[in-house]
Amino acid sequence: GAGVSQSPSNKVTEKGKDVELRCDPISGHTALYWYRQSLGQGLEFLIYFQGNSAPDKSGLPSDRFSAERTGGSVSTLTIQRTQQEDSAVYLCASSLSNGDTQYFGPGTRLTVL
Amino acid sequence: DQQVKQNSPSLSVQEGRISILNCDYTNSMFDYFLWYKKYPAEGPTFLISISSIKDKNEDGRFTVFLNKSAKHLSLHIVPSQPGDSAVYFCAASVMDSSYKLIFGSGTRLLVRP
């Protein structure tokens, strides 16, 4: 079956522009996570969605970052007024339910010039 | 403050020998630990996990050991194979929260033929 997919795979943008990153989780998975990996670093938690519950936004680094999950499936991570320090690989993961194994997508490499 | 640390950025071992990857954590609330493996341009792939009620979990060539008193876990791969060459991430979570994963910075394993 299909795994987690993310688009675009690469995104180059200019400082100050807004970007949207998309995640399609595995069908039937109720939990969805966003992480990012900066160069030479581990993965950093950003936000978590579980069913209809309020998302856990505790990892979002600033109010320029937001995410939504429509219909309990596809999620979009939006970064407004991008800065060079936003350059990273943004990874999405989904799990069948809270506490189950998280399966990761291939990531979106974001470069802010 | 890094809650999960992988102090060895790289490790090189001969094919057929044992690979030992180490991870330390500081947060005593962590009660679930995982290892993920990552190839270039791909998302992390789940490898093996262990809950804090156990001190060892084995799956084929992979064994994870947990020492709660030392806040230390390790991944043993035996025998090591060239296809095991990848970046290995240690991760930890608290089972009664959002299960967000806190990752270490990774160890790059090279298995020499």
Side-chain angles (χ1 to χ4, degrees), chain B residues 7-21:
Chain B
N7 292 318
S8 298
S10 63
L11 175 68
S12 179
V13 300
Q14 192 73 39
E15 179 179 6
R17 305 294 290 268
I18 185 171
S19 296
I20 300 176
L21 297 99

Side-chain angles (χ1 to χ4, degrees), chain A residues 44-100:
Chain A
E44 172 192 6
F45 167 78
L46 296 177
I47 188 169
Y48 157 72
F49 296 91
Q50 170 60 51
N52 295 321
S53 303
D56 176 351
K57 304 179 182 180
S58 60
L60 295 179
S62 78
D63 59 8
R64 296 185 296 104
F65 288 71
S66 63
E68 62 178 22
R69 189 178 184 192
T70 53
S73 181
V74 171
S75 177
T76 303
L77 177 70
T78 301
I79 309 173
Q80 296 178 309
R81 305 181 303 281
T82 52
Q83 303 294 311
Q84 287 183 332
E85 61 263 27
D86 300 335
S87 296
V89 176
Y90 288 80
L91 291 146
C92 174
S94 72
S95 64
L96 188 60
S97 184
N98 195 15
D100 291 314

Side-chain angles (χ1 to χ4, degrees), chain B residues 85-103:
Chain B
S85 298
V87 178
Y88 288 78
F89 289 98
C90 167
S93 72
V94 179
M95 284 197 286
D96 63 350
S97 72
S98 63
Y99 291 85
K100 64 187 180 188
L101 298 176
I102 308 301
F103 283 85

